[in-house]
Amino acid sequence: MKVIRNSDRPPQRRAHPLPLLQRLIDSTVGATTMTIWRNELNSGEHVLRHSHDVEEVLLVTAGRCRVEAGTDVVDLAKGDAVIIPPHIHHGFRAICAQTAAVTAILSSPDAQTVWHTPPTIIDP
């Protein structure tokens, strides 16, 4: 068993409008089958459309958010999750006054991200 301490994996403040990101689990800490990232989104912050080479699950752990994947748009609340297939363009944004939190679980410890241009901002 390997313990990964929250305090050993500090979150990264990225350029606006990207949310705070904590890369909790990936190959750099010895994971062999998955990646886990935590996103904390304040009002106005969002993750622009991108895709991964592997399946991704987005789990809302606080607040509410809007997820756009391909041509689908869905609003999710705390406890809701969505499965995004590989290579599907997707993004998400907070749609609540308080901080929203989204945990991303990807089915590879070295998942590749492709940012799509021109960047699309999901309508509030």
Side-chain angles (χ1 to χ4, degrees):
M1 173 172 69
K2 180 166 184 161
V3 176
I4 309 303
R5 302 270 181 215
N6 182 58
S7 59
D8 292 338
R9 304 290 287 181
Q12 303 167 336
R13 175 53 62 193
R14 302 181 291 171
H16 185 76
L18 291 170
L20 190 72
L21 175 68
Q22 181 183 30
R23 297 174 188 271
L24 190 60
I25 304 291
D26 57 25
S27 64
T28 65
V29 296
T32 60
T33 61
M34 71 178 60
T35 291
I36 300 177
W37 296 330
R38 291 186 60 246
N39 296 271
E40 289 188 15
L41 301 98
N42 293 312
S43 181
E45 293 180 331
H46 53 272
V47 175
L48 299 172
R49 288 174 65 87
H50 63 285
S51 63
H52 304 287
D53 58 334
V54 296
E55 183 175 78
E56 177 179 24
V57 172
L58 297 176
L59 170 64
V60 179
T61 58
R64 295 179 58 236
C65 70
R66 177 165 294 145
V67 177
E68 180 180 323
T71 59
D72 297 327
V73 177
V74 65
D75 291 347
L76 301 176
K78 180 180 177 181
D80 293 342
V82 63
I83 301 168
I84 312 244
H87 309 290
I88 297 297
H89 298 198
H90 63 283
F92 54 93
R93 74 165 41 254
I95 56 169
C96 55
Q98 72 273 23
T99 300
V102 176
T103 299
I105 303 130
L106 296 100
S107 61
S108 167
D110 294 307
Q112 301 299 307
T113 301
V114 176
W115 295 96
H116 297 281
T117 54
T120 304
I121 298 173
I122 301 170
D123 292 329

